[in-house]
Amino acid sequence: MKLEIRRLDAATEGFAEQLDALLAWESVSDQRVQSAVDEIVEQVRLHKDAALIEYTNRFDRRQVVAGVELVIEHDRLEQAAKSIPTQLLEALEQAKERITRYHQRQAQTSWQYTEEDGTVLGQQITPLDRVGVYVPGGKAAYPSSVLMNVLPAKVAGVKEIVMVVPTPDGFVNELVLAAAHVSGVDRVVTVGGAQAVAALAYGTETVPKVDKIVGPGNIFVATAKKKVFGIVGIDMIAGPSEILVVCDGKTDPDWIAMDLFSQAEHDEDAQSILICPDEVYLDQVKAAMERLIEPQSRKDIIKTSLEGRAAFIKVADMAQAMEVANLVAAEHLELSVDEPEQYLPQIRHAGAIFMGRHTPEALGDYCAGPNHVLPTSGTARFSSPLGVYDFQKRSSIIYCSADGASELAKIASPLARGESLEAHAMSAEYRIKS
Amino acid sequence: MKLEIRRLDAATEGFAEQLDALLAWESVSDQRVQSAVDEIVEQVRLHKDAALIEYTNRFDRRQVVAGVELVIEHDRLEQAAKSIPTQLLEALEQAKERITRYHQRQAQTSWQYTEEDGTVLGQQITPLDRVGVYVPGGKAAYPSSVLMNVLPAKVAGVKEIVMVVPTPDGFVNELVLAAAHVSGVDRVVTVGGAQAVAALAYGTETVPKVDKIVGPGNIFVATAKKKVFGIVGIDMIAGPSEILVVCDGKTDPDWIAMDLFSQAEHDEDAQSILICPDEVYLDQVKAAMERLIEPQSRKDIIKTSLEGRAAFIKVADMAQAMEVANLVAAEHLELSVDEPEQYLPQIRHAGAIFMGRHTPEALGDYCAGPNHVLPTSGTARFSSPLGVYDFQKRSSIIYCSADGASELAKIASPLARGESLEAHAMSAEYRIKS
């Protein structure tokens, strides 16, 4: 199958603008979506289960009468885990073990130090009490997302994890329930959309109010999450997934072709970019793609994604490749090169870095250990993979000795008066030793 | 001066609802504010300096013609530092030193580990490239905020810090400029409001586009920050400041009265809550407040704040005090008690914990070391003080050895096929050793 894939050359004038245009993505909720979400969130806030059930019946074509019908009990989750093929259950459990082991390294611990005068300063780390995990339902139901969102919260010590997953027409995904069982979700409620987000943010009779909502969703879910941000915590609003593969031209072109496909098959907006200093190699990868796409079960999505958003970028050398990689700030950065570790110090922005020819993104998506929830659309410039730190919080600790307070008050007092905050100054001055 | 302060008793029926009502605060941007902000942000995005200058002239009553007039040069900052009283400059420098020392403990470092088969997993830490710090202008201009927002970014290694501060009617606050000089701000631009936030998020000829915007502001600033969240990172949207003082009834009532005043004097919406098991002591503090308020320069604000939002809460014992403290999840929690460290393990939610009778909030506001930018309105349930971690980000590192990839692919492949992602499966399977 012929594929039309955009070609850029970093040496040409106007490349920066071409790259900007290639990467441009602003997920805007239109006014219709915003109004619908405003209404749904407000109704669920006011009428709780009654509104939640009404929206669920309407949007998911269900006939729920009482909130209890929305809850999936523990033994049903266990049953799902027993019902799936043994190989799959084992894969889930192996993935769980590896993800847990990696994330344990992220756990922060409390610390404090004592100054000469006896003043103690520190930081106390505590887990969030209760977390909501949104899991999309229907055709794009990903058990791996359950593991990746739930396990960092478990490692952090979150006491209660509530999972919401819509079941359109009552269709339940057994793999998703099995993943919920394997990862230790406490409560599953079969609701989705903006109504599920509102229920988690404000609480209903059936859905307990949580402290933070994580997990991917469609534009209604994303808009609702942004709306309730501040009432509860949220993770990043994800844009379409993307990969940037930097190759030195020495990896089997079939491997690179398939790595790019694995990104493109997500959805039509997914973005796959290949950077290489070798023009001939880019042609070889293109040829491999045109040959390998035919038998792909998702070839239509792959073709649309590649022709709409992919690009092959020719660079002068690896130094220029790293410059472009930093401009892209990719969610997934694959360094399919010899001795990839030499480039690490030059990489300023990337969600996850897949190093060497034997590290395709797919391994990271499922089981290498690091999280697959990563900053998209260049947000790696300022944000990080989902991690244990997202489910922990810090409290500053300040204990002033009488001597310490007396000295600190002499600094605080003039500053407070400089800001015309007299009570601040006097509160400090009371602690100055006479 | 008589003060009417709300009294609650944790033992009475309906206390939970009373507490909820006391704490209720949802900062809602009304439609007028939202529309104004939408318009301003869009204009600045499209027309850059031209729009920024127009809004600045209109809202701050200035006559700026060219963008260059908005920039305050380095030597002007230095001049401000030289112009303020020596005692104040020294206090700023001492505060800087203590804040920097504390925050250095927060810096995260990269790590990695190697598995038996040679696979390497890790996390690379990098600073943000460029950060914008919003500093309010006019009467509520706080040099301490400059230190608290800028210094963690400096410790993180942020290369460029852009400060925006409005100068209504051209009024420049020398203390704020001095604090910018002391803390090492790279560029100061005299703009404010939603237009300043938009300029930082999208970039103009005069204001460089940043990766994250931090710092407090009015409802227009907060609404604009929430709007550009996702294009850039932002810190939390702050509500009114609050303090919860837990006292065992043995601290000088004057001290507690002044500690409560120091919160109440911020603004009319600020909240001061005192919890004590001793009813008589609550009366003593009340009497002290009525005596001490008279000479306060901000007594009108203090009175409005206390009568509108303060509360004295009688509890049965310290255990109940800790329960209430966790429900409040206060921005500032003062434990004015003997051996305060015994209560730390019971505190699940608090922005900062001020321990002992010699640790009033005011010392933490200026110079103890920890940050004074703290989660308000109960958001300590899921968020943390501003810190070095807010200016660092993480990239996952995955390097699979050939052996490691082969084994991981055997886990990833069935999971990918379970999700109907065939290209993911094949991308992994290519790495299985035959």
Side-chain angles (χ1 to χ4, degrees), chain B residues 384-430:
Chain B
S384 301
L386 189 71
V388 175
Y389 34 80
D390 289 303
F391 301 101
Q392 294 183 315
K393 58 212 164 59
R394 309 163 185 94
S395 302
S396 304
I397 289 174
I398 312 176
Y399 168 84
C400 293
S401 66
D403 287 344
S406 184
E407 292 310 305
L408 288 178
K410 293 172 191 164
I411 304 173
S413 165
L415 290 171
R417 291 189 185 276
E419 296 183 350
S420 304
L421 294 174
E422 193 185 17
H424 280 69
M426 290 180 69
S427 168
E429 288 157 10
Y430 278 163

Side-chain angles (χ1 to χ4, degrees), chain B residues 200-222:
Chain B
L200 289 168
Y202 292 102
T204 73
E205 297 84 346
T206 299
V207 180
K209 174 176 167 48
V210 301
D211 298 308
K212 187 166 190 165
I213 303 172
V214 299
N218 64 18
I219 187 68
F220 289 92
V221 172

Side-chain angles (χ1 to χ4, degrees), chain A residues 67-78:
Chain A
V68 65
E69 298 168 55
L70 295 170
V71 179
I72 296 189
E73 301 293 343
H74 266 287
D75 49 1
R76 176 69 185 82
L77 302 182
E78 199 177 342

Side-chain angles (χ1 to χ4, degrees), chain A residues 26 87-88 91-92 94 98 101-102 105-106 111 113 115 121-124 126 128-129 142-144 159 175 202 209-211 226-227 229-234 254-255 258-259 261-262 265-266 292 295-298 340 344 347-355 357-360 362-368 370 379-385 389 393-400 402 405 408-409 411-412 414-416 418-424 426-428 430-431, chain B residues 26 87-88 91-92 94 98 101-102 105-106 111 113 115 121-124 126 128-129 142-144 159 175 202 209-211 226-227 229-233 254-255 258-259 261-262 265-266 292 295-298 334 344 347-355 357-360 362-368 370 379-385 389 393-400 402 405 408-409 411-412 414-416 418-424 426-428 430-431:
Chain A
E26 202 166 327
Q87 190 200 18
L88 264 178
L92 281 175
Q94 288 168 323
R98 292 192 59 88
R101 200 187 313 153
Y102 176 86
R105 306 259 175 163
Q106 292 180 331
W111 51 262
Y113 61 96
E115 302 191 311
L121 299 174
Q123 191 172 268
Q124 174 159 301
T126 46
L128 274 65
D129 279 352
Y142 296 137
S144 58
K159 280 186 282 296
L175 265 179
Y202 292 102
K209 176 177 165 49
V210 302
D211 299 307
K226 194 163 174 181
K227 184 175 171 70
F229 168 55
I231 308 295
V232 294
I234 62 168
D254 282 14
W255 289 20
M258 197 58 70
D259 295 355
F261 283 178
S262 78
E265 75 173 339
H266 271 295
L292 291 168
Q296 285 295 316
S297 54
R298 296 166 76 91
L344 276 186
I347 298 169
R348 298 204 315 283
H349 316 298
I353 307 168
F354 299 81
M355 295 160 63
R357 307 186 205 284
H358 291 270
T359 316
L363 299 184
D365 285 345
Y366 292 106
C367 58
T379 57
R381 286 184 295 112
F382 54 84
S383 52
S384 300
Y389 35 80
K393 60 217 165 54
R394 311 162 184 93
S395 301
S396 304
I397 290 176
I398 312 176
Y399 168 84
C400 293
L408 288 178
I411 305 173
L415 290 172
E419 296 182 351
S420 303
L421 293 175
E422 193 185 19
H424 279 70
M426 291 180 68
S427 168
Y430 277 162
R431 274 77 175 187
Chain B
E26 202 167 325
Q87 189 198 20
L88 263 177
L92 281 175
Q94 287 166 324
R98 292 193 58 87
R101 201 188 312 153
Y102 175 86
R105 305 254 176 168
Q106 292 179 331
W111 50 263
Y113 60 98
E115 301 191 312
L121 299 174
Q123 192 172 268
Q124 174 159 301
T126 46
L128 274 64
D129 279 354
Y142 296 138
S144 58
K159 279 185 283 296
L175 264 178
Y202 292 102
K209 174 176 167 48
V210 301
D211 298 308
K226 196 164 172 179
K227 184 175 170 71
F229 167 54
I231 308 295
V232 295
D254 283 13
W255 290 19
M258 197 57 72
D259 295 354
F261 283 179
S262 78
E265 76 173 339
H266 271 294
L292 291 169
Q296 285 294 315
S297 54
R298 296 166 76 90
E334 186 172 317
L344 275 187
I347 297 168
R348 298 204 314 282
H349 315 297
I353 308 169
F354 299 80
M355 295 162 63
R357 308 186 205 286
H358 291 271
T359 316
L363 299 184
D365 285 344
Y366 292 105
C367 57
T379 57
R381 288 184 294 110
F382 54 85
S383 52
S384 301
Y389 34 80
K393 58 212 164 59
R394 309 163 185 94
S395 302
S396 304
I397 289 174
I398 312 176
Y399 168 84
C400 293
L408 288 178
I411 304 173
L415 290 171
E419 296 183 350
S420 304
L421 294 174
E422 193 185 17
H424 280 69
M426 290 180 69
S427 168
Y430 278 163
R431 274 76 176 189

